[in-house]
């Protein structure tokens, strides 16, 4: 189920994207995937006790080391608002294909 949803988000993300932008997205999602796998972030993101604003703040703080990109910021907003941020590792898997 997560792969199907991730595939749809990745498909929307990649519409009209240049090769350089694709590489940038791959780097961002690789870093997010590593973060998800090396910490308790998934539990934090999935927790209903943690507010949406705090989840967004944490992800945006992590992404601050990358070049500012409105498309990534908007995607993170949508994922968190729709309680789908936990599919980020699946999106990275889909991007790698």
């Amino acid at each position: 189920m997560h792969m199907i949803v991730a595939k749809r988000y990745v498909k929307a993300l990649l519409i009209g994207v240049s090769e350089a932008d694709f590489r940038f997205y791959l780097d961002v999602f690789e870093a997010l995937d590593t973060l998800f796998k090396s910490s308790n972030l998934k539990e934090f993101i999935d927790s209903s006790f943690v507010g949406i604003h705090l989840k967004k703040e944490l992800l945006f703080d992590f992404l601050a080391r990358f070049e500012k990109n409105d498309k990534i910021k908007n995607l993170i907003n949508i994922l968190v608002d729709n309680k789908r941020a936990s599919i980020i590792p699946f999106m990275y898997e889909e991007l790698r294909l």
Side-chain angles (χ1 to χ4, degrees):
M1 170 82 167
H2 289 303
M3 281 304 286
I4 294 169
V5 175
K7 185 179 267 191
R8 289 182 181 169
Y9 279 100
V10 168
K11 183 177 179 183
L13 178 68
L14 296 180
I15 293 174
V17 169
S18 69
E19 181 68 26
D21 285 341
F22 174 78
R23 291 283 170 213
F24 172 74
Y25 296 149
L26 191 60
D27 290 343
V28 168
F29 278 92
E30 180 180 20
L32 286 169
D33 181 61
T34 302
L35 180 66
F36 268 76
K37 289 179 179 173
S38 67
S39 68
N40 293 332
L41 182 64
K42 183 170 178 0
E43 292 173 19
F44 180 82
I45 294 292
D46 289 341
S47 175
S48 59
F49 298 109
V50 178
I52 289 174
H53 178 72
L54 189 56
K55 293 174 186 180
K56 287 180 184 180
E57 185 178 326
L58 176 75
L59 290 170
F60 291 144
D61 284 348
F62 177 76
L63 293 174
R65 64 187 180 140
F66 290 97
E67 171 185 323
K68 185 172 177 157
N69 186 292
D70 289 336
K71 204 168 184 180
I72 291 289
K73 183 178 179 183
N74 291 338
L75 177 63
I76 296 297
N77 276 321
I78 290 169
L79 290 173
V80 173
D81 287 343
N82 293 323
K83 297 179 174 73
R84 293 200 167 154
S86 62
I87 70 164
I88 288 173
F90 296 97
M91 292 179 70
Y92 172 63
E93 291 301 319
E94 188 62 31
L95 279 168
R96 286 184 33 201
L97 298 178

